[in-house]
Amino acid sequence: MRVRKRKGAEEHLANHPHYVIVNPENAKGKWQEIFGNDKPIHIEVGSGKGAFITGMALQNPDINYIGIDIQVSVLSYALDKVLASGAENIRLLQVDGSSLTNYFADGEINLLYLNFSDPWPKKKHAKRRLTYKTFLDTYKQILPEHGEIHFKTDNRGLFEYSLASFSQYGMVLKQVWLNLHASDFQGNVMTEYEKKFSNKGQVIYRVEARF
């Protein structure tokens, strides 16, 4: 998600260290301590403006959520939603999704979400796609044995690529939705992009894949 630079975004994040973890490399292996409980931890890589991660936290108070985005301005908008929600089971990280092993210990995360990731449509940019094998290596390390990735997109090309990438990696495709909003799936929480695209009549794809 690309947005204009937001004035005061860095200060906004810095003013809320309870929610925005400073020096996140020091949190590695200590996330249950940070949340103050031993509930499962789910992360969203590329959390955008926070509609999904906040909605999930409110819907599932028995799960802890971490929203991750590299863009300061974007994360500042996510923080707005977190503060407005009053949810205490959310934390935010301004880090790169390719370096998650710097911030999470092996098996420390229970489930990982990828929502409307940049499709990087040019073949030469395939390594930048968040479902490329090197990213899968990272996810596998921080997830438990048989850990899961839940992936949503409106981009058919990226969806087809990701299904193939998961399969070639040896993952099990638990369930595939070729038209999520026309299915009987319960409890779907929409991202900002999802609302925008679905309002235009675009099909939303979803898959749950397990290592």
Side-chain angles (χ1 to χ4, degrees), residues 124-142:
K124 66 180 181 180
H125 292 150
K127 292 182 179 180
R128 299 183 184 181
R129 298 170 190 160
L130 294 185
T131 51
Y132 185 71
K133 59 184 179 181
T134 54
F135 283 98
L136 299 183
D137 286 339
T138 297
Y139 307 151
K140 184 178 182 180
Q141 189 168 337
I142 65 173

Side-chain angles (χ1 to χ4, degrees), residues 16-24 27 31 34 91-94:
H16 295 279
H18 176 69
Y19 293 105
V20 184
I21 304 303
V22 181
N23 300 320
W31 284 101
I34 288 171
R91 298 295 185 272
L92 301 174
L93 293 184
Q94 193 242 321

Side-chain angles (χ1 to χ4, degrees), residues 31-201:
W31 284 101
Q32 289 188 338
E33 180 181 331
I34 288 171
F35 280 105
N37 57 61
D38 59 358
K39 296 175 182 178
I41 300 172
H42 295 187
I43 68 174
E44 182 188 17
V45 180
S47 58
K49 293 183 178 179
F52 177 82
I53 202 75
T54 304
M56 290 295 286
L58 291 172
Q59 184 172 285
N60 304 288
D62 56 339
I63 297 173
N64 295 319
Y65 291 89
I66 302 173
I68 296 168
D69 209 287
I70 191 62
Q71 298 186 68
V72 173
S73 293
V74 168
L75 204 66
S76 73
Y77 288 114
L79 176 59
D80 289 343
K81 287 187 175 66
V82 172
L83 293 173
S85 75
E88 281 296 320
N89 57 329
I90 311 179
R91 298 295 185 272
L92 301 174
L93 293 184
Q94 193 242 321
V95 300
D96 193 323
S98 65
S99 58
L100 297 179
T101 53
N102 291 337
Y103 315 110
F104 302 105
D106 292 359
E108 190 170 20
I109 301 306
N110 296 88
L111 193 146
L112 186 145
Y113 300 98
L114 298 173
N115 294 316
F116 299 87
S117 309
D118 192 326
W120 293 105
K122 293 183 180 180
K123 190 173 182 179
K124 66 180 181 180
H125 292 150
K127 292 182 179 180
R128 299 183 184 181
R129 298 170 190 160
L130 294 185
T131 51
Y132 185 71
K133 59 184 179 181
T134 54
F135 283 98
L136 299 183
D137 286 339
T138 297
Y139 307 151
K140 184 178 182 180
Q141 189 168 337
I142 65 173
L143 287 167
E145 185 178 7
H146 306 310
E148 295 185 12
I149 296 173
H150 293 184
F151 174 68
K152 284 197 292 187
T153 183
D154 69 304
N155 188 291
R156 179 165 181 154
L158 178 62
F159 191 67
E160 292 175 348
Y161 169 87
S162 299
L163 293 181
S165 182
F166 293 150
S167 296
Q168 290 166 8
Y169 197 87
M171 299 180 71
V172 175
L173 303 182
K174 288 182 56 184
Q175 194 163 355
V176 177
W177 291 262
L178 298 179
N179 189 341
L180 178 63
H181 292 182
S183 74
D184 58 358
F185 181 81
Q186 299 293 315
N188 182 52
V189 174
M190 291 199 286
T191 73
E192 291 88 356
Y193 270 141
E194 187 172 354
K195 291 178 182 178
K196 176 181 176 181
F197 295 146
S198 62
N199 286 340
K200 292 181 178 180

